[in-house]
Every structure is written in structure tokens, then in C-alpha cells.
Amino acid sequence: MKTALPRLSVDLEPELSSALKDLAEAVARFGEANGLSEAQIHNLSLALDELATNTISYGFANADRQELRVELRIEADEVVAQLDDSGIAFNPFEEVAEPDLHASIDDRPIGGLGVFLTKTLFPNPDYERIDGYNRVTLRAPVKGDC
Amino acid sequence: MATGSVLDFTTETEGDTTVVIPAGRIDGSTASPFQESLLKLIEGGKGSLVVDFENIEYISSAGLRVLLLAAKQLQAGGRKIVLCAMRDHIAEVFKISGFSEILAIHPTRQDAINAG
């Protein structure tokens, strides 16, 4: 029998390899304990990976501190994923251009897909800047496809 | 502490076609070494490049970026990249990103080799 895990919070190293590994493990552990589907676990992993990768790659360059924390929780009938970082103030959902999905191989620019994937998998993500931290919150119905 | 992760992969050749069979997760920490290896294989080969996803359990946009770069490189030389054997959730990532419109994706390695 699985132990209920209504809330899981993990501090991530500001280094891609260990952060992505710890993130994937945390999402899998939380998802399995709460009966999320494989697709939901995958989509949460992917969206949080994209956001954390951007923060570690770009957000910490001129930051005093390099703190990154993921929190996963169940609220009523929703699964909520929250990523807090101490990087430079940056709202990924406003400041990243939408990719041209129909461009040919030659015309398609390299990059710019991570935020788009996140927004597609989790429509209406929240962004807040609180006391020197960026906070992104993703929500999906517990029983949904996402 | 790990400073980077390596994506294990094997390669096979079928005539002029190079088949790459990576295993594990293609994410921001494994994409760079994977990109280097793919570009070297492209440089050293002359036919199509087949990437078999049978043993890939996960891909993020960092991995899509590497495949697009490889596709551009191959296309510049009149060659192509063909992908195959994707799990459903990976195929979905290709679909959402529009990559399934610009890259050939086949169900099996043999289909991919035939198409290459």
C-alpha cells in the first residue's frame, strides 16, 4: 500500500544534471503516491524541467543567491506544482516569444520551445515576483489528462 | 557531484544509413554531449541518419533542439534525418512542438531505414 504524500517540497541544486535528476524523482514519487497517471507524471516532469532548465541556464547568471525549490501538492481536486527561484526577475510566460510551429526545417529557429510546451501542457500558468523570488505555479485537475 | 550526464547510445550502419540508438533521457544535461556525438556522426557519414527512440524514455526541448540542429545540418548536405519507435508520450511532445510536421517519424526501425 502506498503512503499518502499530499505535499512534497524539494530544494534543487543550481546545477542541471543533479537538479533534473532530483526533479524527475520528486515528481515520480509524488505522482505515484497520489495515483497520478503516467501521462500526468510525464507532463509535470517535462514542464518543471523546462522551467528549471531556463532558470539554471539563464536566471542565476547575475543573481546573488542560487536557490531553487519545487513544491508539489494536492489542493482539492487539483495537482499544483510550484517552482520558486531566487534568480533575476523573469516572467517566462510574457517574455518568451511563441515559436512558429509550421516553419520548415530551414526556417525553424533553434530553441524557444520549452516555455511553449509548458503553456500547452498547463494552460494559464501563474507567475509572481515575491520578495526577491520568481514563483511559477502550474495547476491541473487530478483526474485530468494533464 | 555529477557535472554532466552522458547519454549512452550505440550505432549501426545499413548501407549508407547510420542508425543511432540512444538510451535514457535527453534533457538539458545530456543534450550537449549527444549533440556533439550526432554532429560528428553526420560529418563522418554520407547517407541518412536514423535515430531509434525505442530506449528513450524522455525528451525535453533541449533534445528537440539537438534533433532540429541535426536535421538542418543533414538537409544542407541533401541528406535527411528519420526518427522511429517513439513511445506515446514522446510522440505527443513532437506533435505539440510541430516537429512531427517537419521530421519523418516511423513506427519501426526497418520502416525508418527503408525511408532513409
Side-chain angles (χ1 to χ4, degrees):
Chain A
M1 186 164 154
K2 283 168 184 161
T3 317
L5 187 67
R7 180 184 294 262
L8 177 64
S9 179
V10 178
D11 288 320
L12 302 170
E13 296 281 329
E15 188 270 320
L16 269 183
S17 182
S18 76
L20 295 182
K21 183 170 167 286
D22 291 349
L23 187 57
E25 279 173 9
V27 174
R29 195 172 142 225
F30 175 82
E32 282 160 19
N34 288 289
L36 301 186
S37 69
E38 266 184 50
Q40 283 178 306
I41 293 173
H42 171 264
N43 292 348
L44 270 176
S45 265
L46 180 59
L48 291 168
D49 164 332
E50 299 291 355
L51 295 166
T53 298
N54 281 348
T55 296
I56 293 170
S57 304
Y58 311 110
F60 286 151
N62 295 309
D64 297 338
R65 289 162 293 130
Q66 300 189 328
E67 295 169 26
L68 181 61
R69 168 180 286 195
V70 63
E71 181 175 294
L72 300 155
R73 57 182 190 266
I74 302 290
E75 272 180 16
D77 54 355
E78 280 189 323
V79 52
V80 180
Q82 182 179 302
L83 201 64
D84 290 341
D85 75 72
S86 61
I88 49 165
F90 183 72
N91 179 350
F93 308 114
E94 282 190 350
E95 295 171 45
V96 176
E98 299 265 324
D100 178 357
L101 298 183
H102 305 291
S104 68
I105 288 176
D106 282 341
D107 295 337
R108 185 95 194 225
I110 300 279
L113 266 177
V115 172
F116 175 76
L117 287 173
T118 302
K119 278 201 283 195
T120 305
L121 296 172
F122 296 89
N124 307 314
D126 276 339
Y127 169 82
E128 298 164 277
R129 181 77 180 174
I130 308 169
D131 297 334
Y133 287 82
N134 296 299
R135 170 170 290 177
V136 170
T137 310
L138 310 174
R139 293 171 183 273
V142 171
K143 298 290 178 199
D145 295 331
C146 206
Chain B
M1 194 176 81
T3 51
S5 307
V6 175
L7 188 73
D8 286 329
F9 69 89
T10 53
T11 56
E12 293 176 11
T13 49
E14 283 271 337
D16 279 347
T17 302
T18 305
V19 183
V20 182
I21 309 140
R25 301 170 67 88
I26 313 180
D27 61 23
S29 71
T30 57
S32 245
F34 183 51
Q35 175 177 318
E36 264 179 51
S37 308
L38 271 194
L39 293 182
K40 261 186 213 153
L41 281 172
I42 292 169
E43 211 172 291
K46 51 182 177 172
S48 298
L49 181 74
V50 170
V51 183
D52 186 335
F53 274 70
E54 189 181 0
N55 300 323
I56 287 294
E57 57 193 57
Y58 177 89
I59 189 166
S60 73
S61 69
L64 295 180
R65 182 183 178 284
V66 172
L67 295 172
L68 180 60
L69 200 68
K72 284 177 187 277
Q73 192 90 1
L74 286 160
Q75 186 153 297
R79 298 154 67 193
K80 58 182 170 179
I81 189 164
V82 187
L83 315 178
C84 65
M86 278 178 197
R87 299 176 193 193
D88 288 348
H89 61 262
I90 290 182
E92 186 65 21
V93 174
F94 277 77
K95 194 174 154 201
I96 294 173
S97 59
F99 273 43
S100 48
E101 283 182 35
I102 52 175
L103 302 178
I105 303 172
H106 291 270
T108 68
R109 187 188 305 178
Q110 198 52 55
D111 292 336
I113 291 168
N114 293 344

